[in-house]
Amino acid sequence: MLTPLRLIGAIGLISAALIAGAWYFQLVLGLVPCKLCLEQRVPHYAAIGLALAALLLARSARLQWLALLVLAVLMAWSAGLGVYHSGVEWGWFLGPSDCGGGSSAAAGVQDFMKQLQSVRVVSCGEAAWRFLGLSLAGWNAVVSAGLFLLAVFGLTRRAQVAGPAR
């Protein structure tokens, strides 16, 4: 049975898997994330934290419903960011003017010159990897939309189970 706590746990677990995948692509495969890639992680970090807190603390149906509501908002935000970033990659939307690679502050001029030689500027408009025609941003949009629907299912299911107000 899909209880609210199981739905919350599933959303948190899938968000954690998406973050783990993003870190794998970054740290193991060497794909440097752009500004929009990093922004797409934020709702998932928040979803992981909220899901953990809800699993530990939300014992009442009202708190579980509230957690599902906030998770739905986070996943809608994430799906929107994924659609926007995918649109930038496909040339449908203009990306941010400051979308490029970042680096840490240099200690001196010599370090700064070394950084200039090694920094890879990553454009938000170029997909570094695609699978079945979708970039990582596109897959984030698809999975986040699915998680949004899962949260909405939990929200509407509770209303159906509770029955009409008396």
Side-chain angles (χ1 to χ4, degrees), residues 20-112:
W23 280 100
Y24 175 81
F25 276 94
Q26 180 178 345
L27 299 175
V28 177
L29 299 182
L31 297 181
V32 180
C34 70
K35 175 184 175 176
L36 291 178
C37 294
L38 295 173
E39 285 180 19
Q40 287 177 87
R41 296 178 187 184
V42 173
H44 293 289
Y45 288 132
I48 294 165
L50 175 61
L52 284 173
L55 290 172
L56 294 173
L57 304 172
R59 295 294 165 225
S60 73
R62 182 165 291 177
L63 285 176
Q64 293 169 10
W65 185 86
L66 183 61
L68 282 170
L69 178 65
V70 175
L71 286 169
V73 169
L74 288 170
M75 292 304 104
W77 174 29
S78 179
L81 286 172
V83 168
Y84 171 66
H85 189 184
S86 294
V88 170
E89 291 171 344
W90 288 104
W92 301 336
F93 311 121
L94 289 176
S97 60
D98 61 343
C99 198
S103 62
S104 57
V109 175
Q110 293 287 51
D111 290 335
F112 178 71

Side-chain angles (χ1 to χ4, degrees), residues 129-147:
W129 182 86
R130 289 189 187 273
F131 178 69
L132 298 176
L134 290 179
S135 67
L136 291 172
W139 284 110
N140 177 60
V142 169
V143 174
S144 295
L147 293 177

